[in-house]
Amino acid sequence: MPIDTRELMEAIAIVADEQNVRVAVKQSGKGTAICAACCFAGGLLMGPVGLAVGGAAGGIAAYKMTSGTFRPLGEVILNDLTDTQREQLVQHVTKAVADIHPTDIVMLIPLITQNASIQQVVLNAIMSYATNELRMQIVD
């Protein structure tokens, strides 16, 4: 029996959301640059004290500019992936749980949502896919 891709994607998103996995969506570099620039400018103007003041000011500025750009991985999985990426993720997760050998493929989705050890296998597969294929940064 073929896997219902949408149901499996929802199960994967549930696992990611339960573990509170978030990803940085194209803003980590911007925040780093802002913080570093402020710290550098503070150091040039006021010496060692300026490093601390510039670092604090840069951190606050980076927070304000990148606020809301770290999103739950489950939301990204359900809303932002293309059909090709969804299919690749389903294949990635299916390979990860292939050793489990569920007697019926219909049992795979409840197995993923209810079994902690399988959730960890699926979570590792999701995080691997997000970092290696989608080039996203996982935020703890």
Side-chain angles (χ1 to χ4, degrees):
M1 175 177 243
I3 298 174
D4 182 356
T5 304
R6 185 68 189 168
E7 284 186 37
L8 184 57
M9 294 296 286
E10 288 173 3
I12 292 168
I14 288 169
V15 170
D17 287 342
E18 284 179 354
Q19 297 297 320
N20 198 25
V21 178
R22 296 182 307 143
V23 293
V25 184
K26 300 177 186 173
Q27 296 296 320
S28 291
K30 182 191 238 183
T32 302
I34 292 167
C35 193
C38 289
C39 190
F40 180 73
L44 287 177
L45 296 174
M46 297 186 284
V49 173
L51 289 173
V53 172
I60 291 169
Y63 166 76
K64 295 237 182 228
M65 292 184 75
T66 61
S67 181
T69 59
F70 295 95
R71 297 183 26 219
L73 182 57
E75 180 183 315
V76 172
I77 288 170
L78 290 177
N79 301 324
D80 296 347
L81 297 184
T82 64
D83 290 337
T84 304
Q85 291 172 326
R86 285 185 177 139
E87 194 60 40
Q88 289 174 343
L89 180 58
V90 166
Q91 290 173 359
H92 200 76
V93 170
T94 305
K95 285 180 191 174
V97 296
D99 294 335
I100 297 165
H101 300 294
T103 56
D104 188 12
I105 203 68
V106 175
M107 294 176 62
L108 181 60
I109 294 169
L111 196 60
I112 288 173
T113 57
Q114 296 172 0
N115 188 313
S117 62
I118 295 175
Q119 284 180 359
Q120 191 60 44
V121 169
V122 170
L123 185 63
N124 289 341
I126 297 167
M127 291 171 59
S128 170
Y129 181 79
T131 55
N132 296 333
E133 301 295 326
L134 301 177
R135 304 285 185 239
M136 292 182 169
Q137 180 181 0
I138 303 295
V139 179
D140 289 330

